[in-house]
């Protein structure tokens, strides 16, 4: 009755989303009684033994030079081999760029359904039930799995990591026959996005700006607040479509889905498509001059007024706090 | 080259969600149906490829009830050459069932490029593209932001956390489109007229056993009521204090 977790690595670094998946795996494993087993595809061991602290009992490692960059088909073959070998009852992926690409392939190979971007898993009630947002977050769908294993991908930043200090995982080689002579879709290079900032989906704090900023020349206001908070800058689609910010900054249904611990929406009205991307944030702050703006319906704390006065004051106040500890 | 574009009809994101009597699905009454917004990027790119090659055929493919005819007509109006309607009525199918039916329909067409949206904005599953590719045993790149075709080779970029991957693949290949790939065209009046004469082939779809069981659909629990901290800059110190001491997020 094991739980298998796909361990995502890039450039020899295990991604934080995999620690979140391991954390949830330990909770499921405790309920069903069984080990947590990781499966990783890499050119060389990215320090998998240390994942014992994050909840893994064992990690299966498929090594090949093909895994120096993401090889979708090779990785899918590795996960499939692990599933066939380990016979888990649950397989978890992160709903990250890689997990979203990989999990459906594994599901198709196994001929088993997949619940993607889940925000809650209930292992108890006679078979596992997964909860996932649908219709722009206006409804939650619950699904169950007619076949074993249950395949799920987890929304980043929703599931908590665990810490089992001093525990290490045993790392075991996984034999895989890789398809073809090499990847049919081959990653030629990976270029860092300008600024090298933390990706929105991995950020603890996000400050997003909307059309209320009036123009791209005013975004430094947002950047300064973000700098003081140690936050990443996001944007509404209106702002991205106007060319004020790049597409990778867009939060919302046709942008990124984020769940930071703090989301600050500045000059954003709160259209349903924007809310779809950020309403699972832990704490939401809205700054808007219109007291009837829909963003206030989801905000934990709202400030009504002119952002051009409020944001600089907020930045100053946060800086003051930082200085005094 | 033959290209296939898979299109889904979805409930408008503005639609008020009402749960059907079964407690599991969306009540279709009063729902406005739209084309999945990602589809436009896929159709647009397929048309550009055809225009560049100066030859070929773009086939729009959609699985669903009678309503998808409208969806397919729209693709035809944008410039697709013909359409296939895989007819299936009743509750929405799971992604693997949909992928199997699409793969079966696509296999005999001999397509060089098969296009999908990155995700459908109703179920937000983001599964059908890579699943169908796997069933067809074709290379696939998901959520592409750029596209170049040189002979039988495509080079695309996809955004990953904090970086972009540049990926190359040989045709035939499956691609799923992200927003920003291109500026989709509008259907012209001429295109709309021409679409009326194009054929939509009607094929009955026979899905197999479900691979996922939907047990409930419900509105999300309301967020704990928030509050307006105050107005203007006077509210700022209060806000910071609340964030630090009550919410403990800074
Ligand atoms: C299919 C589809 C997909 C979409 N996907 C997304 C998506 O992924 N993400 C997304 O964000 N949107 C998305 N949208 C667009 C969405 O519907 C809204 O149009 C968009 O979110 C609006 O952006 P905004 O809030 O910045 O602008 P607006 O709606 O124009 O709001 C600006 C706000 O700023 C406030 N304001 C103005 N001046 C000031 C000031 N001086 N001080 C304080 N406040 C001020 C105003 O009161 C207003 O509330 C999508 C739409 C569709 C149809
Ligand atoms: N019923 C369908 N008919 C045709 N294409 C579909 C259907 N369902 C999904 N797709 C395609 O698969 C993509 C991803 O959908 P999904 O996996 O449901 O998020 C969509 O953008 C469409 O291109």
């Amino acid at each position: 009755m094991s739980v298998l977790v796909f361990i995502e690595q890039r450039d020899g670094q295990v991604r934080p989303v995999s620690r979140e998946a391991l954390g949830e795996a330990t909770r499921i494993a405790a309920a069903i009684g069984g080990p947590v087993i990781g499966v990783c595809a890499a050119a060389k061991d990215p320090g998998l033994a240390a994942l014992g602290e994050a909840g893994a009992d064992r990690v299966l490692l498929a090594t090949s030079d093909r895994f120096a960059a993401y090889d979708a088909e090779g990785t899918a073959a590795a996960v499939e081999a692990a599933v066939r070998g380990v016979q888990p009852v649950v397989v978890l992926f992160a709903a990250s760029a890689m997990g979203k690409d990989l999990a459906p392939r594994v599901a198709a190979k196994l001929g088993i359904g997949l619940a993607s971007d889940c925000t809650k898993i209930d292992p108890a009630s006679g078979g596992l039930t997964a909860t996932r947002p649908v219709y722009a977050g206006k409804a939650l769908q619950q699904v169950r799995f007619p076949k074993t294993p249950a395949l799920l991908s987890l929304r980043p930043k929703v599931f908590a990591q665990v810490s089992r200090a001093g525990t290490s995982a045993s790392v075991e080689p996984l034999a895989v026959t890789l398809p073809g002579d090499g990847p049919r879709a081959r990653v030629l290079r990976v270029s860092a996005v300008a600024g090298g900032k933390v990706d929105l989906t991995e950020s603890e704090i996000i400050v997003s700006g909307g059309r209320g900023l009036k123009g791209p020349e005013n975004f430094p206001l947002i950047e300064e607040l973000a700098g003081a908070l140690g936050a990443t800058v996001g944007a509404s689609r209106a702002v991205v479509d106007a060319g004020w910010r790049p597409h990778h900054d867009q939060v919302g249904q046709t942008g990124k889905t984020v769940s930071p611990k703090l989301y600050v929406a500045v000059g954003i009205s709160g259209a349903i498509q924007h809310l779809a991307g950020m309403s699972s944030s832990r704490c939401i702050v809205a700054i808007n001059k219109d007291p009837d703006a829909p963003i206030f319906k989801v905000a934990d704390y709202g400030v009504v007024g002119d952002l051009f006065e409020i944001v600089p004051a907020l930045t100053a106040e946060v800086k003051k706090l930082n200085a005094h500890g | 080259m033959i290209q296939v574009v898979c299109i889904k009809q979805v409930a408008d994101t503005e639609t008020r969600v009402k749960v059907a009597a079964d407690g599991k699905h969306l009540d279709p009454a009063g729902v406005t149906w739209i084309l999945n917004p990602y589809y436009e990027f896929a159709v647009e790119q397929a048309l550009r490829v055809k225009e560049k090659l100066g030859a070929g055929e773009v086939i729009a493919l959609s699985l669903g009830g009678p309503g998808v005819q409208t969806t397919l007509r729209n693709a035809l109006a944008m410039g697709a050459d013909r359409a296939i309607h895989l007819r299936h009525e009743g509750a929405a199918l799971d992604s693997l069932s949909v992928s199997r039916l699409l793969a079966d329909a696509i296999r005999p067409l001999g397509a060089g490029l098969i296009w999908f949206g990155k995700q459908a904005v109703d179920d937000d599953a983001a599964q059908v593209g890579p699943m169908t590719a796997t069933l067809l045993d074709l290379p696939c790149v998901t959520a592409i932001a750029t596209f170049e075709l040189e002979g039988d080779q495509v080079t695309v970029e996809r955004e990953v956390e904090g970086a972009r991957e540049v990926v190359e693949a040989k045709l035939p290949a499956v691609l799923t489109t992200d927003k920003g790939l291109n500026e989709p065209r509008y259907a012209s009046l001429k295109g709309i007229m021409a679409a009326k004469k194009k054929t939509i082939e009607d094929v009955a779809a026979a899905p197999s056993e479900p691979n996922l069981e939907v047990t409930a659909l419900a509105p999300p629990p309301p967020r704990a009521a928030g509050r307006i901290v105050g107005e203007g800059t006077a509210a700022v110190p209060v806000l910071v204090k609340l964030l630090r001491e009550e919410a403990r997020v800074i």
Side-chain angles (χ1 to χ4, degrees):
Chain A
M1 296 281 270
S2 56
V3 180
L4 187 71
V5 178
F6 172 66
I7 307 296
E8 191 172 319
Q9 62 87 27
R10 210 183 304 130
D11 299 332
Q13 299 278 325
V14 172
R15 309 288 301 169
V17 282
S18 296
R19 293 202 168 78
E20 295 166 16
L22 282 171
E24 184 59 14
T26 60
R27 286 180 284 273
I28 298 170
I32 64 176
V36 172
I37 304 173
V39 54
C40 182
K44 64 177 211 295
D45 186 348
L48 295 171
L51 290 181
E53 303 207 340
D57 297 304
R58 293 158 56 197
V59 183
L60 309 176
L61 172 63
T63 34
S64 161
D65 289 343
R66 274 174 65 164
F67 298 138
Y70 176 53
D71 167 10
E73 292 185 288
T75 307
V79 178
E80 185 191 14
V83 171
R84 299 208 188 272
V86 168
Q87 304 274 318
V89 289
V90 181
V91 184
L92 302 182
F93 300 82
S96 56
M98 192 186 290
K100 280 185 193 164
D101 183 274
L102 177 68
R105 299 174 193 255
V106 174
K109 280 164 151 299
L110 296 169
I112 283 180
L114 164 72
S116 41
D117 205 23
C118 300
T119 51
K120 189 165 172 261
I121 299 175
D122 179 7
S125 44
L128 180 144
T129 304
T131 303
R132 49 186 310 276
V134 290
Y135 303 114
K138 282 185 288 186
L140 296 176
Q141 186 185 56
Q142 289 193 351
V143 296
R144 290 171 65 103
F145 301 82
K147 294 183 203 154
T148 310
L151 301 184
L152 309 98
S153 68
L154 310 185
R155 179 173 288 191
K157 289 254 161 243
V158 169
F159 295 89
Q161 303 185 15
V162 295
S163 170
R164 306 189 303 186
T167 319
S168 80
S170 65
V171 181
E172 299 159 24
L174 173 70
V176 192
T177 317
L178 294 177
D181 309 329
R184 289 191 292 184
R186 198 163 63 89
V187 175
L188 298 177
R189 59 180 181 277
V190 182
S191 50
V193 165
K197 63 175 193 177
V198 180
D199 190 74
L200 282 171
T201 59
E202 295 175 345
S203 304
E204 291 283 312
I205 303 182
I206 294 171
V207 182
S208 282
R211 190 145 51 192
L213 273 133
K214 307 270 190 290
E217 67 281 7
N218 295 323
F219 257 81
L221 278 180
I222 300 292
E223 277 154 11
E224 278 157 32
L225 175 57
L229 287 167
T232 309
V233 174
S236 72
R237 174 165 173 174
V239 156
V240 170
D241 285 356
W244 303 355
R245 301 294 297 185
H247 177 246
H248 59 250
D249 278 2
Q250 186 185 317
V251 172
Q253 196 175 26
T254 45
K256 292 194 171 146
T257 308
V258 300
S259 307
K261 71 176 185 198
L262 173 61
Y263 188 92
V264 184
V266 181
I268 292 179
S269 59
I272 186 69
Q273 298 91 352
H274 190 81
L275 302 185
M278 45 65 79
S279 58
S280 56
S281 305
R282 210 165 88 219
C283 176
I284 298 172
V285 170
I287 300 170
N288 197 304
K289 68 176 181 190
D290 173 8
D292 297 323
I295 190 73
F296 287 123
K297 293 210 180 73
V298 299
D300 299 281
Y301 304 113
V303 177
V304 178
D306 185 359
L307 71 89
F308 293 98
E309 291 168 12
I310 294 165
V311 174
L314 182 54
T315 306
E317 190 73 19
V318 173
K319 281 191 178 153
K320 213 158 74 188
L321 193 74
N322 292 346
H324 299 289
Chain B
M1 177 167 57
I2 292 172
Q3 300 179 82
V4 179
V5 188
C6 294
I7 301 170
K8 186 180 191 185
Q9 188 181 44
V10 296
D12 189 346
T13 39
E14 306 285 348
T15 297
R16 198 171 66 87
V17 168
K18 197 164 156 260
V19 179
D22 69 357
K24 298 178 186 177
H25 299 97
L26 180 68
D27 184 348
V31 170
T32 323
W33 299 98
I34 59 159
L35 305 160
N36 183 32
Y38 285 102
Y39 115 100
E40 297 178 327
F41 307 113
V43 178
E44 176 64 36
Q45 204 62 49
L47 293 173
R48 289 186 189 185
V49 168
K50 185 186 155 183
E51 283 156 10
K52 185 179 168 206
L53 298 178
E57 192 179 31
V58 174
I59 306 172
L61 172 63
S62 185
L63 167 74
V68 310
Q69 296 261 347
T70 332
T71 308
L72 290 170
R73 281 284 166 224
N74 195 287
L76 295 173
M78 271 178 82
D81 299 285
R82 64 184 175 99
I84 303 174
H85 174 193
L86 283 180
R87 196 163 21 84
H88 168 79
E89 281 166 68
L93 301 172
D94 63 80
S95 301
L96 183 56
S97 300
V98 171
S99 301
R100 283 184 174 142
L101 294 166
L102 294 179
D104 288 345
I106 293 166
R107 210 171 275 117
L109 298 175
L113 275 169
I114 301 152
W115 297 93
F116 291 85
K118 168 176 90 163
Q119 71 194 53
V121 300
D122 51 357
D123 59 20
D124 283 326
Q127 296 185 16
V128 171
M131 270 183 178
T132 308
T134 304
L135 297 172
L136 291 168
D137 191 21
L138 291 178
C140 167
V141 189
T142 55
I144 64 165
T146 66
F147 172 88
E148 270 174 60
L149 176 68
E150 224 28 85
D152 68 343
Q153 181 141 310
V154 291
T155 309
V156 299
E157 288 182 22
R158 67 188 296 264
E159 204 196 305
V160 299
E161 292 78 10
R164 271 188 171 209
E165 289 177 347
V166 183
V167 192
E168 160 191 279
K170 280 222 161 28
L171 304 187
V174 173
L175 299 171
T176 84
T177 56
D178 200 352
K179 173 181 172 281
L181 175 63
N182 52 42
E183 269 307 318
R185 69 193 66 187
Y186 289 103
S188 64
L189 192 60
K190 193 163 143 248
I192 295 168
M193 296 312 287
K196 293 194 173 137
K197 294 195 207 80
K198 294 177 182 171
T199 51
I200 299 181
E201 189 186 339
D202 188 315
V203 182
S208 46
E209 287 292 291
N211 305 289
L212 268 190
E213 186 200 345
V214 177
T215 53
L217 182 75
R223 283 186 76 95
R227 66 184 117 128
I228 301 286
V229 175
E231 284 188 30
T233 49
V236 168
V238 193
L239 172 67
V240 171
K241 194 164 187 301
L242 286 167
L243 290 176
R244 187 162 171 96
E245 288 167 17
E246 190 178 80
R248 298 185 186 188
V249 288
I250 61 171

